[in-house]
């Protein structure tokens, strides 16, 4: 088992042949372009998926995705890091999930953080662009101090280390990178009311430009976008905080930290 613990050195540009295994779905998962492009497909029989050969502990993980176009209702494209081999009370996971929809309706970007077997930390967003027209970069910055979710270098969510308040934080277990495209029409689109239209199958998502950057690697500073600046610091700078507030004000559609009906006995500790 290859483990890259607390990554050091320079950014590692990815090659799908070298860095990933196609794990299920048969010929529905394909690598081409000399390892520079990967596609996952879903039909009525099966979806497909892949996972990284290595495990990683901390760093920045970037992946460019172009999501299923047209009527994608019932489909979910998941992109996440996890120690899936350790389910149960030691399960950690950091999730991006893209919930498809009928043509013309926006995708929902679903995020979640699992620590020590506990999830239920969902935040959901609409995107400020059509994620099916072009490739966009979805990033996870995972540090001992916090986890930051970014879309095209704009932070959309930060989950801080709250161990001093008794909140577990994923920092002791290396995790693999996973992605899958699968049928979730029992719940994904309007709570399962809209089913997949299999006459539109196969549904296909595209991946390129995978990169892992170690925590210790320095990056040149440029204003405006958090991802191109000094993300190594332990806090967002003023520009990144403004972008985060902009996203959360205008595009967040669900936040577990404001769902009082779901938590009648009181919101989770990290929400306070």
């Amino acid at each position: 088992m290859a483990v890259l613990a607390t990554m050091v050195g320079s950014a590692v540009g990815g090659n799908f042949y070298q860095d990933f295994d196609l794990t299920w779905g048969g010929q529905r998962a394909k690598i081409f372009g000399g390892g520079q492009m990967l596609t996952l497909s879903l039909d009525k029989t099966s979806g497909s998926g892949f996972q990284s050969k290595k495990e990683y502990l901390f760093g920045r993980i970037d992946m460019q995705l172009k999501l299923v176009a047209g009527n994608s209702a019932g489909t979910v494209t998941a992109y996440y890091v996890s120690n899936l081999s350790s389910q149960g009370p030691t399960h950690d996971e950091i999730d991006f999930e893209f919930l498809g929809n009928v043509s013309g309706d926006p995708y929902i970007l679903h995020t979640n953080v699992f620590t020590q077997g506990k999830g239920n930390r969902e935040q959901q967003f609409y995107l400020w662009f059509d994620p099916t027209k072009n490739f966009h970069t979805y990033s996870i910055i995972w540090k001992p101090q916090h986890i930051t979710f970014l879309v095209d270098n704009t932070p959309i969510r930060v989950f801080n280390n709250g161990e001093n308040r008794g909140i577990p934080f994923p920092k002791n277990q290396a995790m693999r990178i996973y992605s899958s495209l699968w049928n979730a029409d029992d719940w994904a689109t309007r709570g399962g009311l809209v089913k997949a239209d299999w006459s539109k199958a196969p549904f296909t998502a595209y991946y390129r430009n995978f990169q892992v950057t170690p925590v210790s690697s320095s990056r040149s500073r440029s204003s405006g976008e958090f991802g191109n600046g000094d993300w190594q610091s332990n806090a967002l700078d003023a520009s990144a905080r403004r972008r985060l507030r902009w996203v959360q004000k205008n595009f967040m559609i669900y936040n577990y930290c404001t769902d009082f009906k779901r938590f009648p006995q009181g919101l989770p500790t990290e929400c306070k």
Side-chain angles (χ1 to χ4, degrees):
M1 178 170 57
V3 177
L4 213 62
T6 312
M7 296 177 288
V8 295
S10 59
V12 180
N15 179 290
F16 286 109
Y17 282 125
Q18 297 174 4
D19 298 321
F20 291 92
D21 292 319
L22 305 179
T23 50
W24 63 285
Q27 294 301 309
R28 296 170 185 84
K30 298 178 181 178
I31 299 172
F32 53 97
Q36 299 304 303
M37 184 80 74
L38 185 151
T39 59
L40 295 181
S41 292
L42 164 69
D43 58 32
K44 197 169 185 178
T45 301
S46 177
S48 52
F50 63 88
Q51 70 180 48
S52 63
K53 296 178 185 292
K54 295 179 181 178
E55 294 181 322
Y56 303 95
L57 183 62
F58 307 132
R60 173 174 173 145
I61 299 166
D62 298 294
M63 184 82 78
Q64 290 193 332
L65 281 77
K66 184 164 67 171
L67 299 179
V68 174
N71 183 354
S72 57
T75 71
V76 171
T77 305
Y79 158 55
Y80 57 103
V81 296
S82 176
N83 63 330
L84 277 182
S85 60
S86 179
Q87 290 283 10
T90 61
H91 176 216
D92 295 338
E93 189 167 303
I94 305 167
D95 284 342
F96 278 110
E97 290 187 282
F98 303 90
L99 313 186
N101 220 324
V102 294
S103 299
D105 285 355
Y107 262 82
I108 292 174
L109 171 52
H110 175 102
T111 66
N112 203 354
V113 177
F114 289 79
T115 62
Q116 296 300 295
K118 180 182 180 294
N120 299 324
R121 298 185 176 99
E122 300 91 345
Q123 290 183 359
Q124 294 184 336
F125 306 83
Y126 288 140
L127 295 166
W128 49 96
F129 52 83
D130 183 344
T132 72
K133 297 295 186 184
N134 296 292
F135 284 92
H136 293 269
T137 304
Y138 303 92
S139 308
I140 294 167
I141 296 175
W142 176 28
K143 301 179 64 180
Q145 300 85 2
H146 52 73
I147 296 162
T148 306
F149 297 78
L150 302 101
V151 176
D152 288 339
N153 291 331
T154 292
I156 65 168
R157 177 179 184 177
V158 178
F159 183 81
N160 290 308
N161 184 331
E163 289 177 306
N164 61 345
R165 303 167 65 194
I167 304 162
F169 187 85
K171 69 173 191 178
N172 298 315
Q173 302 181 94
M175 297 197 273
R176 294 185 192 275
I177 302 162
Y178 295 86
S179 190
S180 58
L181 175 56
W182 49 288
N183 173 23
D185 70 0
D186 58 335
W187 66 270
T189 307
R190 295 182 59 202
L193 294 177
V194 183
K195 303 300 182 182
D197 180 356
W198 296 112
S199 70
K200 302 294 193 296
F203 304 102
T204 302
Y206 300 82
Y207 300 75
R208 72 179 187 189
N209 291 350
F210 162 71
Q211 182 168 281
V212 173
T213 308
V215 167
S216 59
S217 176
S218 62
R219 307 191 79 181
S220 61
R221 185 77 178 175
S222 64
S223 61
E225 292 183 326
F226 175 62
N228 290 334
D230 184 11
W231 63 269
Q232 303 290 354
S233 67
N234 291 337
L236 303 184
D237 64 16
S239 174
R241 291 196 301 272
R242 285 194 297 270
R243 295 291 287 175
L244 177 66
R245 289 194 296 269
W246 174 76
V247 171
Q248 295 193 342
K249 177 182 177 181
N250 294 291
F251 300 100
M252 180 184 282
I253 59 173
Y254 178 79
N255 182 4
Y256 78 108
C257 279
T258 61
D259 193 342
F260 294 95
K261 290 183 179 179
R262 183 178 177 186
F263 302 104
Q265 304 305 314
L267 294 173
T269 303
E270 66 266 23
C271 298
K272 299 171 184 175

